[in-house]
Amino acid sequence: MTAPRPLPRLDAHNRPFWTGGAEGELRIMRCQDCATFIHPPRPVCSKCLSENVAPEAVAGSGVVDTFTVNYQKWHPAMEVPFVIARIALDGVPGVYLTSNIINCDVEKVDIGDRVHVKFERQDDVYLPLFEKMDQTL
């Protein structure tokens, strides 16, 4: 998609997630007391209720858990079709990101595909999008 994407409103809790791409990092909040990953970002751990949470850089790779192909042109500048996928992140149990699969024909995306993060910068936000990994590796 070449059209500008809607941008999130940054706050103290989600800023590390949306700006980590400046350093090439996908950052997920993690409880420093019980080690639970927290996404979407929140100021309190949902498992132990600790307020001792901090962003942690994660691998940025994962697996397509499920997906859909969008054919609806929601904006005149939007390119269709495109893939909306739920990504199960490697090493981040219980965390799934909903994002787009880019740089790939929509017919070539499947459940179980290995993907890695690519960041798209808009203003001060680095949107985490995903690209299929080279299947020949």
Side-chain angles (χ1 to χ4, degrees):
M1 284 181 264
T2 57
R5 297 170 188 265
L7 297 179
R9 179 174 293 155
L10 300 183
D11 62 31
H13 308 297
N14 70 18
R15 186 174 303 278
F17 176 77
W18 294 113
T19 62
E23 285 82 39
E25 295 180 347
L26 180 60
R27 296 177 183 158
I28 304 293
M29 296 300 279
R30 190 170 199 183
C31 179
Q32 304 301 293
D33 292 329
C34 74
T36 298
F37 284 98
I38 305 159
H39 192 79
R42 293 185 282 267
V44 176
C45 176
S46 57
K47 183 174 180 184
C48 73
L49 303 178
S50 171
E51 294 179 6
N52 186 17
V53 298
E56 183 173 307
V58 299
S61 59
V63 175
V64 174
D65 178 63
T66 191
F67 73 97
T68 189
V69 178
N70 183 78
Y71 293 93
Q72 176 65 44
K73 195 173 184 95
W74 300 102
H75 184 276
M78 183 179 280
E79 294 179 26
V80 293
F82 61 91
V83 175
I84 303 167
R86 188 171 94 149
I87 311 299
L89 293 176
D90 292 338
V92 190
V95 173
Y96 298 85
L97 292 184
T98 302
S99 186
N100 297 123
I101 306 298
I102 59 169
N103 302 327
C104 177
D105 190 284
V106 297
E107 286 85 25
K108 305 258 180 175
V109 175
D110 204 355
I111 292 171
D113 284 347
R114 301 280 309 145
V115 294
H116 63 97
V117 72
K118 292 287 195 181
F119 294 100
E120 179 181 297
R121 182 180 181 187
Q122 288 187 22
D123 298 331
D124 292 333
V125 172
Y126 291 78
L127 299 162
L129 307 174
F130 287 82
E131 187 173 65
K132 284 181 63 169
M133 290 183 172
D134 185 357
Q135 299 298 311
T136 61
L137 297 177

